[in-house]
Amino acid sequence: MKDWIPLLQDLVWPIALLTLAFTFRHGLRRLITTVNSRVERGDSFEAGASGIRLGPSSPQIPTGAEPQPGAQPVLEVPPPLAALTGAPTEAAPRVHLVHTAHRDNSVDRDGYRYFRVRIALEGDTDSDLDRVTKVIYHLHPTFRDPDRTVTDRSTGFEMTTAAWGTFSLTADVYVNDRTEPIRLERYLNF
């Protein structure tokens, strides 16, 4: 009997897969027929994260030298409108939204698990933040007072709130030498 156990263990998965294939044979046949007809029509078929691809492909033949590992493509960006009109422009400050969140049982209510969320502005340099005059955070519309204005530079224009679900936040960053605010967006996950 001791010699039969490894054999039985090796047969469990093939038997299970054959049983599933037999049980779902009609659906499996429809799937294979659908994929086959798409490929015959000239459409491509992709499935799964592993990148299974069927059908015609149009590989791009690289031209030029191979990029170095980690190199990013250089995109041509049109010049700002002020540069086209000859008006002097100062580059926009390089600022980013950041957030942290931690679970806080004390603010739970109505069966929802709440988190304390801190949202702030960070700049590549201190001078970038020095140019910011105010930030208007636009929270999800279900918040009480979803549009909140922060003017305190010393905290990094920090805003704190409590939230129970993830959402996308936008912020309008007003800079002292620009008429239009800079619009930033961040997905708040916790």
Side-chain angles (χ1 to χ4, degrees), residues 1 7 19 25 38 44 59 68 79 84 89 110-112 114 127 130-133 139 145 186:
M1 183 68 180
L7 176 65
T19 304
R25 66 186 176 276
R38 286 187 68 179
S44 63
Q68 295 296 320
L84 295 175
T89 62
D110 300 328
Y112 289 101
Y114 276 80
S127 63
D130 291 339
R131 293 175 53 199
V132 175
T133 57
L139 302 171
D145 302 322
R186 183 162 180 94

Side-chain angles (χ1 to χ4, degrees), residues 12-169:
V12 168
W13 282 111
I15 291 172
L17 289 176
L18 287 173
T19 304
L20 286 172
F22 181 77
T23 304
F24 298 106
R25 66 186 176 276
H26 300 296
L28 192 57
R29 182 177 295 135
R30 272 196 318 250
L31 176 65
I32 291 170
T33 304
T34 302
V35 169
N36 190 33
S37 66
R38 286 187 68 179
V39 171
E40 286 176 353
R41 265 196 330 254
D43 297 339
S44 63
F45 177 80
E46 296 182 22
S50 64
I52 298 171
R53 292 181 180 87
L54 301 174
S57 62
S58 56
Q60 295 180 352
I61 300 170
T63 58
E66 185 175 322
Q68 295 296 320
Q72 296 295 315
V74 177
L75 303 176
E76 288 191 29
V77 179
L81 183 59
L84 295 175
T85 60
T89 62
E90 188 173 343
R94 296 177 58 98
V95 292
H96 319 278
L97 289 173
V98 295
H99 80 279
T100 58
H102 69 274
R103 181 82 174 87
D104 187 351
N105 296 336
S106 68
V107 291
D108 288 355
R109 65 174 189 265
D110 300 328
Y112 289 101
R113 296 168 36 106
Y114 276 80
F115 291 77
R116 291 272 182 203
V117 181
R118 174 194 169 271
I119 305 152
L121 198 64
E122 284 187 359
D124 284 357
T125 65
D126 280 341
S127 63
D128 286 334
L129 279 183
D130 291 339
R131 293 175 53 199
V132 175
T133 57
K134 71 177 175 180
V135 179
I136 301 177
Y137 293 101
H138 304 286
L139 302 171
H140 193 272
T142 56
F143 277 79
R144 183 179 315 131
D145 302 322
D147 299 325
R148 301 182 187 179
T149 303
V150 179
T151 58
D152 188 2
R153 161 67 176 94
S154 65
T155 64
F157 300 94
E158 178 181 305
M159 186 212 40
T160 57
T161 189
W164 59 266
T166 60
F167 62 96
S168 286
L169 162 117

